[in-house]
Amino acid sequence: MAQQNGMVEKRSSGLWLTHLGMIVGVAFIFFPIWLAFVASTVDQQAIVRPPMPLLPGDKFFENYARALTSGVNAPVGIMLVNSMVMALGIALGKIAISLLSAFAIVYFRFPGRHLFFWLIFLTLMLPVEVRIVPTYEVIANFGMLNSYSGLILPLIASATATFLFRQFFMTVPDELAEAARVDGAKPMRFFFDILLPMSRTNIAALFVILFIYGWNQYLWPLLITTDPSMNTIVMGIKQMFPSGDDTADWPVIMATSILAMIPPVLVVIGMQRLFVRGLVESEK
Amino acid sequence: MATVTLENLRKSYGNTEVIHGVDIDIADGEFIVIVGPSGCGKSTLLRMVAGLETVTSGDILIGGRNVNSVEPMDRDIAMVFQNYALYPHMSVFDNMAYGLKIAKVPKDEIAKRVANAAEILQLVPYLTRKPRELSGGQRQRVAMGRAIVRKPAVFLFDEPLSNLDAKLRVQMRLEIKALQRDLGVTSLYVTHDQVEAMTLADRMIVMNGGVADQIGKPLEVYADPATEFVAGFIGSPSTNFLDAGRLGRRVEGGAKVGIRPEHIRTVAQSETDYAGKVVYSEPLGAETLIHLKLLDGEDVTVRQEGALPIPSEGESCGLAWEAKDEMVFAKDGIRLRQ
């Protein structure tokens, strides 16, 4: 009994130590976010006059309402919608396209199959920034500046996702495709009825990554949206910063920052459940 | 229900021919087992009948209709795969119903057929479960159920029992046999296990290197093997092969003489010119297997009644057999008939 107590004590002290370490780590990361939140709930004077307040003030509703409806250049509400459309468009588009291309590469024998796969793979080495000028030229010629299609289409193909789905499809036993064939399923039917439900977990994981990728796009929206009503929120925050001698409206900027963080956080939390459930079910 | 006919069926991958022309007429309701070692082309043969592999030359007829270029679903067949190939995200019910749903069978008809198959296979309590929540034997049954509900003309089995443990294998073997007899569906069954082949088959095809060495009833194949390969492959423990020259008897053109272990007796050394040392013996209760090494180094197995006295290890024994039990094979492995 005594020995058991000793063991429990030993374990609990180690537990406290690890917890302490983690709490310090979390506090370290969380403090700037907390400061941003505090700054979004006080008025301009309170921020400018040192010391900076560490507890939320009473201007929460006022600042957020101002940010959502008017903002600095464009209402944050509109920018949130723009970002949402862009991020969802990119994430869903990338998943749809890469699922189909991986399906083609793995399950069909057509001339140039390997060539196409390696071509897709090669594009992994070309980030948006490298091809941004020619892409801009193309989009401008199509008249897609200041439009959702202009925001989404150039970013909609994903070599990474195609590669990931290809690897996953290759682990699916061939007999499954053969059984479906004997059952009379045509290729697309097999894709929708069997392959797609089996890829659920991978789709959820990719959706999280790709949504955040789309949400955080900065350079591309900055380049092709000149109309403030088409601004996305991540570039919008930067544009709120004053140029020259203007004073910054820090409470509204901070409120915008906090608002910009909420959708990705919600996606991560919401998808995490699906993700973990998918992992636990692990089936093939 | 239908007959199946294979006519000079060949298969090549590139320039390599793997099936060198197989001919067989399968009667309606017959249970045919294709047996052979791995790599002999037996699975390829089955997959050609299923339509999963293309035919290089020759013909496949199901119910008198040439199906060489017909899609698997239109061949009126159902297949049971070695790893069952159940759809992991579907319930047992949906797994069995999937083919019928695609064929646009009315919902109540689907429910009736699945319920019926589940009844036969004792799967009723598991219909809502997912395949991963089932044991190996139950998964096997679901795979069978998926084949039964389609009411096909031909069942194709691709080593369906090889993923089960020994005891379950024996049980499922009996169930498959009973099921096939009840339903009366023509069946083709691929296995590498000669016991499965012997017990299940109405007729069996012994494949070796892409050639059907022998086609016949199990006991006929056992008693009268056409080639050295068949004599060695069918039967356990396998046939003893002795060098024909050493037998002291002139066998015209013969290279080897095969004698089944149960046809050899141990006798006193003085009664015969064949003798060997006992290496070890395996008493199995009903019978005893005695492994001997002949003086010239050849290995011989003798199978005798369990009640007979067992010679001790290292003891020298004489061996004797009837001349009628000798099977003489030529150099190329073909049986020579006297």
Side-chain angles (χ1 to χ4, degrees):
Chain A
M1 206 53 188
Q3 199 189 353
Q4 214 176 7
N5 279 341
M7 272 182 71
V8 170
E9 230 164 278
K10 220 192 230 166
R11 213 183 110 215
S12 71
S13 72
L15 209 66
W16 275 110
L17 216 68
T18 46
H19 267 85
L20 190 73
M22 283 195 274
I23 288 165
V24 169
V26 168
F28 202 72
I29 303 287
F30 188 71
F31 186 66
I33 298 171
W34 174 251
L35 268 192
F37 177 71
V38 168
S40 72
T41 60
V42 295
D43 54 18
Q44 180 79 358
Q45 282 76 28
I47 296 177
V48 181
R49 186 181 58 234
M52 194 165 164
L54 288 177
L55 289 174
D58 54 359
K59 297 283 194 299
F60 178 85
F61 291 105
E62 192 191 318
N63 289 340
Y64 278 83
R66 204 145 55 88
L68 279 174
T69 53
S70 61
V72 177
N73 302 315
V76 173
I78 289 179
M79 292 198 282
L80 275 176
V81 170
N82 291 343
S83 275
M84 189 61 96
V85 170
M86 183 186 180
L88 279 179
I90 290 176
L92 296 178
K94 271 181 191 275
I95 287 173
I97 290 173
S98 45
L99 267 171
L100 284 171
S101 26
F103 178 57
I105 287 170
V106 174
Y107 284 94
F108 294 88
R109 309 257 169 279
F110 52 89
R113 194 166 63 106
H114 290 284
L115 177 76
F116 281 113
F117 173 70
W118 285 109
L119 280 179
I120 293 172
F121 200 65
L122 269 178
T123 63
L124 267 177
M125 297 169 204
L126 298 173
V128 179
E129 290 73 14
V130 173
R131 56 185 164 95
I132 203 156
V133 174
T135 311
Y136 180 86
E137 180 73 18
V138 170
I139 294 297
N141 287 342
F142 275 123
M144 289 201 272
L145 300 179
N146 285 316
S147 71
Y148 287 137
S149 44
L151 279 173
I152 295 169
L153 289 183
L155 303 174
I156 208 169
S158 169
T160 325
T162 306
F163 188 66
L164 208 111
F165 282 125
R166 169 186 180 261
Q167 296 309 96
F168 171 68
F169 289 167
M170 289 192 355
T171 67
V172 173
D174 289 342
E175 281 87 349
L176 228 47
E178 286 170 355
R181 215 173 136 198
V182 172
D183 268 341
K186 295 272 195 321
M188 283 321 283
R189 179 114 199 210
F190 166 69
F191 176 73
F192 283 113
D193 283 357
I194 290 156
L195 222 44
L196 205 57
M198 283 179 72
S199 320
R200 240 180 7 214
T201 330
N202 294 43
I203 292 174
L206 263 181
F207 181 80
V208 173
I209 296 166
L210 296 177
F211 181 87
I212 291 171
Y213 166 85
W215 187 266
N216 288 342
Q217 280 303 314
Y218 174 70
L219 192 56
W220 182 246
L222 189 68
L223 214 60
I224 72 152
T225 64
T226 45
D227 179 358
S229 70
M230 285 304 296
N231 284 2
T232 61
I233 192 150
V234 174
M235 61 170 285
I237 294 171
K238 179 75 173 96
Q239 290 197 331
M240 286 177 173
F241 287 8
S243 51
D245 291 337
D246 298 348
T247 49
D249 191 353
W250 286 113
V252 170
I253 296 175
M254 286 305 151
T256 309
S257 302
I258 295 292
L259 286 171
M261 266 190 288
I262 293 173
V265 168
L266 287 182
V267 165
V268 169
I269 292 173
M271 282 296 177
Q272 197 183 23
R273 283 204 199 114
L274 197 94
F275 190 52
V276 170
R277 198 172 59 204
L279 282 184
V280 173
E281 276 177 7
S282 103
E283 50 191 0
K284 206 169 285 160
Chain B
M1 323 297 123
T3 59
V4 176
T5 308
L6 309 184
E7 279 170 8
N8 195 21
L9 198 61
R10 284 166 193 276
K11 173 76 186 174
S12 309
Y13 293 108
N15 288 328
T16 326
E17 194 172 72
V18 290
I19 307 267
H20 308 289
V22 172
D23 290 274
I24 185 174
D25 273 306
I26 301 170
D28 187 12
E30 203 174 9
F31 200 127
I32 298 288
V33 176
I34 306 171
V35 64
S38 49
C40 71
K42 55 190 192 300
S43 279
T44 309
L45 191 65
L46 190 79
R47 291 164 56 83
M48 284 163 85
V49 177
L52 297 171
E53 299 274 355
T54 54
V55 174
T56 307
S57 77
D59 289 300
I60 302 172
L61 290 89
I62 296 178
R65 180 172 68 122
N66 188 315
V67 294
N68 276 15
S69 50
V70 176
E71 272 293 300
M73 58 177 157
D74 300 321
R75 290 191 179 196
D76 208 4
I77 51 132
M79 186 153 172
V80 177
F81 292 86
Q82 178 173 1
N83 63 1
Y84 321 133
L86 301 178
Y87 311 124
H89 59 288
M90 292 188 195
S91 68
V92 168
F93 181 94
D94 288 334
N95 258 291
M96 292 208 256
Y98 187 60
L100 299 179
K101 265 183 204 157
I102 291 176
K104 299 210 167 65
V105 175
K107 272 216 167 84
D108 47 341
E109 170 75 10
I110 294 179
K112 215 172 74 192
R113 284 208 213 169
V114 173
N116 191 22
E119 188 79 34
I120 297 174
L121 296 163
Q122 299 147 34
L123 282 172
V124 179
Y126 309 111
L127 281 176
T128 56
R129 291 210 197 164
K130 296 272 174 69
R132 67 171 177 281
E133 297 160 337
L134 301 176
S135 68
Q138 287 161 346
R139 284 182 207 183
Q140 175 59 54
R141 288 209 181 88
V142 177
M144 303 263 300
R146 191 161 67 178
I148 292 174
V149 292
R150 304 187 58 205
K151 299 194 175 163
V154 182
F155 277 145
L156 304 174
F157 299 91
D158 190 3
E159 309 212 19
L161 302 182
S162 56
N163 283 356
L164 300 178
D165 62 55
K167 196 174 165 195
L168 207 52
R169 204 177 301 165
V170 174
Q171 186 195 334
M172 288 304 295
R173 197 167 76 202
L174 294 172
E175 283 182 26
I176 288 178
K177 181 77 180 169
L179 194 68
Q180 195 268 345
R181 211 167 266 167
D182 288 349
L183 300 175
V185 178
T186 312
S187 300
L188 264 148
Y189 185 111
V190 162
T191 180
H192 61 265
D193 180 349
Q194 51 107 2
V195 179
E196 255 171 49
M198 295 290 288
T199 49
L200 284 172
D202 291 329
R203 277 192 300 161
M204 62 199 231
I205 305 176
V206 186
M207 297 271 298
N208 177 29
V211 177
D213 260 19
Q214 192 169 6
I215 300 173
K217 294 194 169 117
L219 287 179
E220 287 174 13
V221 172
Y222 181 85
D224 195 14
T227 66
E228 184 183 334
F229 171 80
V230 175
F233 190 76
I234 301 296
S236 173
S238 76
T239 303
N240 301 300
F241 292 103
L242 302 173
D243 195 281
R246 295 254 170 84
L247 267 179
R249 226 169 286 141
R250 290 263 172 265
V251 188
E252 199 85 20
K256 290 225 166 120
V257 173
I259 308 152
R260 294 226 176 254
E262 62 268 35
H263 292 145
I264 307 182
R265 314 181 301 276
T266 53
V267 292
Q269 239 174 310
S270 53
E271 290 176 36
T272 168
D273 12 312
Y274 258 87
K277 262 204 169 74
V278 177
V279 182
Y280 60 95
S281 40
E282 299 174 288
L284 301 173
E287 62 189 28
T288 304
L289 304 179
I290 304 166
H291 300 272
L292 303 107
K293 206 167 218 31
L294 298 190
L295 297 178
D296 54 16
E298 280 179 297
D299 292 315
V300 169
T301 307
V302 175
R303 171 194 254 156
Q304 66 175 30
E305 288 286 318
L308 295 175
I310 303 169
S312 55
E313 277 177 29
E315 191 181 322
S316 290
C317 283
L319 300 172
W321 57 85
E322 308 286 327
K324 70 172 170 56
D325 292 327
E326 289 177 355
M327 303 177 280
V328 184
F329 300 99
K331 271 204 175 60
D332 57 2
I334 304 292
R335 174 96 176 260
L336 296 174
R337 318 263 177 190
Q338 272 86 5

